[in-house]
């Protein structure tokens, strides 16, 4: 029986088999990567440099942009390189590192989104206590807790997954190393421990989701009590970007992992995995800047200063 120590590399699922389509995939992912780098880089730089954006909401947005960059830089470059060099291989160590960093960034991002819902709740439902509940120290502690929780989650899951004996080959049915797809290669009698950790993860994810939903129920109730239409519109506009990002994140992940096996296919799995691992880092900066005049002004000031 083969195990992890006898496997020196894994084979990732390719996007295309013909040379022309492989090059198209490379250039498409290059464009997506550059767009993500530009959008998130502008948000990070603007938020860090503009004194007007040194508030809890933009502090958490800066953290979200950093995590988005980490997420896309974990998965896309290796896929681009494989298409460019017409190969499917990734080393055992590289696969483990990719799985670790993807879980780390995606988990921490979800925890940051949860904290951001609390930020919006306090801003709208308890505005008089906003400075007390979300002071500089509290924001740093919450952000550190999100990053630390993501790191711990990634460390435990990756260590357990890659300690399992693998006896079903080395072909991963995904364009990057993802823990559920690595588990499919493990011996059927040996992965129950990691499944237990995944169940715990699901419970934590569900708990965060309930917290986000509960926060927005309270937010909507408070907004509907605002007498002026302009006040209601302003309150809703500050929540809409976050709500859109959360909806995109949760819907794509839930569909990817909860869809019935009967409607699953490798090509469909590839498209869905792109939706939750590649698309959000590109569209999140657009979602947050589209209706945010403060952020637009900061970016415009930054670009004008550079020119």
């Amino acid at each position: 029986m083969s195990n992890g120590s006898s496997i020196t590399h894994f084979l990732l699922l390719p996007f295309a088999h013909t040379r022309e389509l492989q090059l198209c995939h490379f250039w498409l992912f290059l464009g997506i990567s550059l767009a993500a780098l530009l959008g998130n880089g502008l948000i990070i730089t603007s938020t860090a440099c503009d004194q007007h954006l040194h508030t809890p909401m933009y502090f958490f947005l800066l953290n979200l942009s950093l995590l988005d960059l980490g997420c896309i830089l974990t998965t896309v470059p290796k896929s681009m390189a494989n298409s460019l060099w017409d190969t499917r291989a990734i080393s055992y160590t590289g696969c483990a590192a990719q799985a670790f960093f993807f879980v780390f960034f995606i988990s921490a991002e979800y925890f940051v989104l949860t904290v951001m819902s609390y930020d919006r709740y306090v801003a709208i439902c308890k505005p008089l206590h906003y400075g007390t509940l979300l002071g500089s120290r509290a924001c740093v502690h919450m952000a550190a807790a999100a990053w630390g929780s993501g790191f711990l989650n990634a460390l435990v899951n990756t260590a357990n997954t890659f300690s399992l004996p693998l006896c079903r080959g080395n072909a991963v049915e995904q364009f990057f190393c993802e823990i559920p797809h690595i588990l499919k290669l493990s011996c059927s009698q040996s992965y129950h421990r990691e499944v237990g950790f995944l169940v715990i993860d699901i419970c934590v994810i569900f708990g965060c989701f309930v917290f986000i939903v509960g926060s927005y129920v309270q937010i909507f109730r408070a907004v509907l009590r605002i007498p002026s239409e302009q006040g209601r519109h302003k309150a809703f506009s500050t929540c809409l970007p976050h709500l859109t990002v959360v909806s995109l994140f949760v819907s794509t992940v839930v569909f990817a992992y909860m869809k019935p096996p009967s409607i699953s296919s490798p090509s469909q799995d590839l498209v869905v995995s792109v939706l939750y691992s590649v698309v959000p880092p590109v569209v999140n900066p657009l979602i947050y800047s589209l209706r945010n005049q403060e952020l637009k002004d900061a970016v415009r000031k930054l670009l004008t200063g550079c020119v």
Side-chain angles (χ1 to χ4, degrees), residues 8-307:
T8 59
H9 68 279
F10 292 92
L11 299 177
L12 300 176
L13 192 65
F15 275 91
H17 297 281
T18 63
R19 192 61 188 149
E20 292 78 10
L21 290 178
Q22 286 175 340
L23 292 176
C24 285
H25 163 248
F26 170 82
W27 289 111
L28 176 63
F29 266 32
L30 178 62
I32 290 173
S33 300
L34 292 176
L37 284 169
L38 177 63
N40 289 287
L42 284 174
I43 286 180
I44 292 168
T45 309
S46 301
T47 305
C49 296
D50 195 317
Q51 293 290 332
H52 296 96
L53 301 186
H54 289 183
T55 64
M57 183 178 77
Y58 292 107
F59 171 73
F60 294 127
L61 180 58
L62 182 147
N63 280 266
L64 185 69
S65 293
L66 287 171
L67 292 166
D68 276 337
L69 280 181
C71 189
I72 199 168
L73 292 177
T74 297
T75 58
V76 168
K78 181 58 181 174
S79 180
M80 290 168 54
N82 281 4
S83 287
L84 186 63
W85 302 112
D86 191 19
T87 181
R88 295 175 55 191
I90 183 172
S91 68
Y92 185 89
T93 305
C95 185
Q98 195 177 58
F100 169 80
F101 282 110
F102 181 74
V103 175
F104 169 42
F105 289 124
I106 208 80
S107 300
E109 180 166 338
Y110 187 58
F111 295 141
V112 167
L113 287 172
T114 305
V115 172
M116 291 175 80
S117 70
Y118 176 70
D119 167 70
R120 292 299 83 208
Y121 164 75
V122 175
I124 293 175
C125 299
K126 299 183 178 181
L128 298 179
H129 302 283
Y130 189 71
T132 305
L133 295 175
L134 285 163
S136 299
R137 181 173 296 182
C139 290
V140 170
H141 287 169
M142 284 188 281
W147 284 76
S149 300
F151 179 85
L152 183 62
N153 182 45
L155 184 64
V156 170
N157 281 285
T158 306
N160 277 283
T161 298
F162 284 87
S163 66
L164 298 175
L166 306 178
C167 52
R168 297 182 180 179
N170 65 340
V172 180
E173 296 181 354
Q174 180 61 287
F175 78 95
F176 64 96
C177 287
E178 193 175 24
I179 284 179
H181 292 277
I182 301 296
L183 285 176
K184 291 180 181 180
L185 306 178
S186 64
C187 305
S188 58
Q189 71 273 19
S190 62
Y191 66 85
H192 299 292
R193 180 179 56 183
E194 176 58 24
V195 169
F197 283 107
L198 290 177
V199 170
I200 295 173
D201 286 345
I202 291 172
C203 292
V204 173
I205 291 169
F206 182 72
C208 291
F209 179 73
V210 170
F211 182 87
I212 293 171
V213 172
S215 298
Y216 272 101
V217 168
Q218 296 299 319
I219 288 171
F220 289 151
R221 289 175 62 183
V223 169
L224 292 174
R225 288 197 295 266
I226 297 175
S228 69
E229 183 177 347
Q230 185 178 1
R232 288 195 299 271
H233 176 76
K234 183 178 180 181
F236 273 127
S237 66
T238 63
C239 298
L240 189 60
H242 177 260
L243 195 56
T244 305
V245 170
V246 170
S247 301
L248 176 66
F249 183 92
V250 172
S251 60
T252 52
V253 171
V254 167
F255 181 75
Y257 291 107
M258 300 297 180
K259 66 181 184 297
S262 58
I263 65 169
S264 180
S265 66
S267 58
Q268 186 188 66
D269 290 344
L270 270 179
V271 172
V272 173
S273 64
V274 168
L275 287 177
Y276 69 79
S277 64
V278 178
V279 172
V282 181
V283 301
N284 285 354
L286 294 175
I287 292 171
Y288 270 100
S289 61
L290 201 60
R291 297 168 62 90
N292 191 318
Q293 193 57 46
E294 284 183 324
L295 192 56
K296 286 181 184 177
D297 291 341
V299 171
R300 191 178 296 113
K301 186 191 301 183
L302 177 68
L303 293 176
T304 305
C306 290
V307 173

